[in-house]
Amino acid sequence: MKLPRNFFKPLRSGRRCRFAELPVRLERMIHFVPPHIEKLRAKVPELIAQVDVVARQSRGRHSVRRQGSARRGFIAMAAASDFGATGLWTRINALNSPWALDDVVEIVGAVGSKLDV
């Protein structure tokens, strides 16, 4: 049986060590935030330290008015917070919906440099 502490040691002399650190960032806890609700959006700064990913949840079943407010709320939330190592994701509407292009253009144009997915 190979002990965990020996896992990163080379199997033969002269070989390089395997990765001692994970080559990818873990996404163990993903928290979906409905950005059109101000009360929940205000909790994001304290939430950032507790989760690996903060994600915007957008659904096509919302009314037209809520689509715009959710998009603007996400942009405000992303601009106001420093996410550091925490990932920032967004879900857009389906590509055949009337809101998909607006989602991509407005969100990427405003806070695209902060987005991970």
Side-chain angles (χ1 to χ4, degrees):
M1 184 169 107
K2 191 171 183 181
L3 297 174
R5 68 176 171 265
N6 295 328
F7 182 75
F8 293 110
K9 289 184 179 177
L11 298 176
R12 287 185 277 156
S13 64
R15 299 269 306 194
R16 292 187 315 150
C17 234
R18 294 183 186 170
F19 288 112
E21 303 228 355
L22 293 174
V24 295
R25 194 168 65 192
L26 292 179
E27 295 154 350
R28 300 163 293 203
M29 181 178 258
I30 302 170
H31 190 85
F32 287 90
V33 176
H36 61 280
I37 302 174
E38 174 64 34
K39 185 177 178 181
L40 296 176
R41 203 171 58 222
K43 294 181 180 184
V44 168
E46 68 187 45
L47 185 69
I48 290 172
Q50 301 171 7
V51 299
D52 297 314
V53 175
V54 174
R56 168 195 180 229
Q57 186 164 3
S58 177
R59 299 285 183 170
R61 69 177 184 259
H62 294 314
S63 67
V64 175
R65 188 183 83 251
R66 192 174 291 170
Q67 293 293 330
S69 66
R71 191 179 312 116
R72 288 187 300 274
F74 178 77
I75 291 169
M77 177 186 75
S81 301
D82 179 24
F83 289 88
T86 301
L88 178 62
W89 294 3
T90 185
R91 291 178 66 180
I92 64 168
N93 288 287
L95 295 177
N96 62 354
S97 76
W99 306 288
L101 183 61
D102 291 338
D103 282 348
V104 173
V105 170
E106 290 183 30
I107 291 172
V108 172
V111 291
S113 61
K114 290 189 169 191
L115 285 176
D116 291 307
V117 176

